[in-house]
Amino acid sequence: MIDAVTKKLAFSHLWVAFGAFLLACFMGEYQVLERSGFIPAIESPSVYFASVSTHGVLMAFVLTTFFIMGFGYVVATTSLKQPIWNPQWAWAGFGISSFGTVLAAIPLLTGKASVLYTFYPPIIGHWMFYVGATLLIVGSWLWCVIMIMMMREWKQANPGAPVPLAMFATVGNALLWLWTSAGVALEVLFQLIPMALGWMDTLDPGLARTLFAWTLHPIVYFWLIPAYTAFYVLVPKQAGGYLFSDEIARAAFVVLIVFALPIGFHHLYMDPEQAKGWKLLHGVGTFVVSLPTFITGFSVIASLEIAGRLRGGKGLFGWIGSLPWRNPMVLSVILSLLMLILGGFGGLVNASYAMNAMIHNTAWVPGHFHLIFAGTTVIMYFAIAYYLWPIMAGKPLFSKDMALVQLWTWFIGMTILTTPWHVLGLLGQPRRISGVEYNSLLTLAWDPYELAMIFGGLVMLGSACLFVYNLAMTHSSQEVFEGEIEYAEPIHPVTDLPEYLNDFTLWNKVIAGLMALSFGVPILQFFFMKTFGSSAWGF
């Protein structure tokens, strides 16, 4: 049973998240249209870059942060069966994050923070953008504290008992976020805000890029872990089976959280400020972090096979046809895994030094990014919303058929959109361009791919509208629905766990050691090496 406070908190967060998502989808379609050059009347580099920056902030920071907080509150109260620790803090976090979002939106929409939603000086946006983004993060830190305190209280009340897997993953994600956001927080507080306010004349972009690399890649796993949580704790039950292994799931989360952090330098392979040895270290870590993804893929497929065989599936692949494909959660995980396979392959290309040089700063990069984020991750956000909405609203889903159409069209649209993106990258199209100002055989050859991307974007925009419409109609329905969140049981019940799979104290120490090893010298060097006028903090 979800209490009234949790419902109100969760709905508030989720509606902000999905409102931002819908607005960002319209901007995304405008961008592919503008960049194609097919409609001269809408060509405007300034509007394009303002749109790209706003689209990125809405998708990467607002949708994700608010969704993760809202989903986290539901997971915490239903898996631990206890009320939210300090709801006043929860509302304060929501208020601070919301105010920060509005504050950041003002310069974004007026074209004064067209920094491509990244934090790479010397491109500097308006100070309101940086202060707003900081407040968005500060609000989410309160959520992290609440998650940690709720797990601690539960463990004190249930000494030795295994923490529910859903909460274990959620607290792990909160810790990951605290570690992850520290890098960009240092950059914004000590470099970008003072620079934007005119308090200093210069800063060291090398240090800024290093601090942003601290945050840049782990943040992807912050977005991804709720999807993995659904993979493990919701999908098996919805498929009609059991979780393959609770212990393997915990091990996957631990490895993911520990090794997601010290790997950001594969974004700096082409940058000169870090030595090759550090890049090699981070590159190896990037390949290590692919292991929990392989484990997750294996575990989820094994769980689905159990469900398929329990439903009567026979033979080597007969269980696949026995799965409840019309269940939105089951359909979503299948489509999500398909996109994860393709997106993961692209990620391995990015992590490889030589191949990275081939696709560096080309259209391949946003193609890969969209496939992992908007494909693998966001489609599971849809599935979670379709599952939670009827339970929290007490009303049946407005249209299950519409949900299935929406999921398929999102998958198809994503495929049509991102495949040309990857091809254009291999053909040499740069990323971060608003258009092509010259015509040559090379750039003219890009036109069919641009046309395909416009069509894919339209399909996705229609799908996004269907999603929000379905949720809104569910909310306004007069019918009644009663249901409870059902977490998947492991096929072999867990009665006892080693502490390292039931707590993060040890892993926090491991993370601290790895971060000191991988970022210590690379950051400190900026404070003792000669930088010819660009001081580290600008003081």
Side-chain angles (χ1 to χ4, degrees):
M1 186 73 179
I2 306 176
D3 61 73
V5 173
T6 304
K7 285 181 185 176
K8 195 171 181 180
L9 265 172
F11 271 135
S12 299
H13 285 79
L14 295 177
W15 272 122
V16 171
F18 293 134
F21 160 77
L22 186 61
L23 180 59
C25 286
F26 278 94
M27 292 181 172
E29 180 58 16
Y30 158 74
Q31 288 152 34
V32 289
L33 274 170
E34 199 276 354
R35 193 176 57 230
S36 71
F38 296 154
I39 309 176
I42 65 170
E43 290 185 34
S44 168
S46 59
V47 175
Y48 174 84
F49 287 116
S51 174
V52 170
S53 301
T54 309
H55 170 84
V57 169
L58 290 175
M59 283 291 195
F61 302 132
V62 180
L63 163 65
T64 52
T65 306
F66 279 91
F67 177 87
I68 290 167
M69 290 196 290
F71 182 45
Y73 288 128
V74 175
V75 166
T77 54
T78 56
S79 66
L80 301 181
K81 301 188 187 318
Q82 64 186 42
I84 290 176
W85 181 84
N86 206 329
Q88 293 80 9
W89 275 41
W91 282 114
F94 175 74
I96 293 170
S97 292
S98 300
F99 177 69
T101 301
V102 173
L103 196 64
I106 296 170
L108 281 168
L109 293 173
T110 53
K112 295 179 179 177
S114 299
V115 294
L116 301 174
Y117 70 91
T118 55
F119 297 84
Y120 287 140
I123 302 175
I124 296 290
H126 195 278
W127 65 266
M128 288 172 63
F129 169 66
Y130 297 116
V131 173
T134 302
L135 292 175
L136 171 59
I137 292 173
V138 170
S140 69
W141 285 348
L142 295 183
W143 171 82
C144 295
V145 172
I146 292 168
M147 293 298 104
I148 293 168
M149 291 303 298
M150 288 186 72
M151 180 170 137
R152 176 178 293 180
E153 283 189 348
W154 188 91
K155 290 193 71 173
Q156 289 172 348
N158 302 272
V163 175
L165 178 59
M167 191 60 188
F168 182 78
T170 302
V171 171
N173 203 23
L175 290 170
L176 174 66
W177 180 233
L178 288 173
W179 276 104
T180 299
S181 53
V184 73
L186 290 171
E187 181 196 0
V188 169
L189 288 175
F190 292 102
Q191 290 191 297
L192 301 184
I193 290 179
M195 189 81 174
L197 286 170
W199 293 349
M200 59 192 205
D201 299 324
T202 182
L203 53 74
D204 193 323
L207 175 59
R209 293 178 70 84
T210 302
L211 290 172
F212 192 51
W214 174 329
T215 298
L216 183 57
H217 203 76
I219 197 173
V220 175
Y221 299 101
F222 172 63
W223 306 332
L224 194 58
I225 283 180
Y228 279 18
T229 304
F231 283 2
Y232 283 115
V233 304
L234 297 178
V235 168
K237 186 72 176 180
Q238 291 299 301
Y242 296 89
L243 172 62
F244 174 69
S245 170
D246 183 284
E247 293 91 337
I248 287 179
R250 289 170 194 267
F253 280 119
V254 167
V255 176
L256 186 65
I257 290 161
V258 170
F259 285 97
L261 284 155
I263 61 173
F265 284 5
H266 71 262
H267 289 266
L268 304 180
Y269 279 162
M270 301 300 127
D271 284 37
E273 64 268 8
Q274 299 298 344
K276 58 186 177 184
W278 297 113
K279 294 175 181 175
L280 175 64
L281 179 66
H282 284 239
V284 171
T286 306
F287 282 99
V288 172
V289 84
S290 66
L291 291 177
T293 297
F294 285 123
I295 294 171
T296 298
F298 170 80
S299 296
V300 173
I301 292 171
S303 300
L304 290 174
E305 182 177 355
I306 292 169
R309 296 198 183 283
L310 286 174
R311 296 172 63 90
K314 305 291 184 185
L316 189 58
F317 298 113
W319 58 271
I320 298 175
S322 299
L323 292 172
W325 284 73
R326 289 184 55 78
N327 182 305
M329 183 70 74
V330 175
L331 176 61
S332 296
V333 75
I334 293 169
L335 301 180
S336 177
L337 285 175
L338 288 173
M339 290 186 279
L340 179 62
I341 291 170
L342 298 172
F345 170 76
L348 293 176
V349 171
N350 298 344
S352 305
Y353 191 92
M355 288 192 285
N356 183 287
M358 183 175 63
I359 50 85
H360 178 73
N361 257 345
T362 69
W364 170 285
V365 178
H368 159 75
F369 174 74
H370 279 76
L371 196 52
I372 288 290
F373 172 70
T376 303
T377 303
V378 171
I379 202 169
M380 289 309 298
Y381 288 9
F382 296 154
I384 292 168
Y386 285 137
Y387 182 63
L388 293 184
W389 233 258
I391 296 172
M392 292 200 303
K395 301 168 182 178
L397 187 65
F398 172 68
S399 173
K400 185 177 175 182
D401 288 340
M402 185 185 294
L404 296 174
V405 169
Q406 187 267 319
L407 293 169
W408 274 114
T409 50
W410 188 260
F411 172 74
I412 293 169
M414 181 60 66
T415 305
I416 297 172
L417 177 75
T418 58
T419 301
W421 230 332
H422 283 85
V423 175
L424 284 171
L426 294 175
L427 291 175
Q429 186 188 71
R431 65 187 292 210
R432 294 168 174 159
I433 57 171
S434 62
V436 180
E437 301 302 326
Y438 52 89
N439 290 323
S440 69
L441 289 178
L442 173 64
T443 58
L444 289 174
W446 296 346
D447 284 354
Y449 300 101
E450 298 283 1
L451 188 62
M453 291 178 68
I454 292 170
F455 179 67
L458 276 175
V459 174
M460 293 181 70
L461 179 58
S463 176
C465 292
L466 279 182
F467 169 70
V468 175
Y469 177 75
N470 208 348
L471 295 187
M473 292 303 291
T474 301
H475 226 126
S476 61
S477 170
Q478 300 301 315
E479 299 180 54
V480 176
F481 175 84
E482 292 184 2
E484 298 282 343
I485 293 180
E486 297 179 308
Y487 292 109
E489 296 291 335
I491 195 165
H492 299 294
V494 177
T495 56
D496 188 33
L497 278 173
E499 194 60 9
Y500 61 83
L501 289 181
N502 203 36
D503 191 82
F504 287 99
T505 303
L506 169 65
W507 301 116
N508 257 324
K509 296 175 183 175
V510 172
I511 290 171
L514 286 174
M515 292 300 283
L517 173 67
S518 55
F519 279 95
V521 172
I523 289 176
L524 289 175
Q525 65 173 335
F526 293 100
F527 292 89
F528 53 71
M529 71 178 183
K530 186 172 178 55
T531 54
F532 304 98
S534 297
S535 57
W537 293 135
F539 300 120

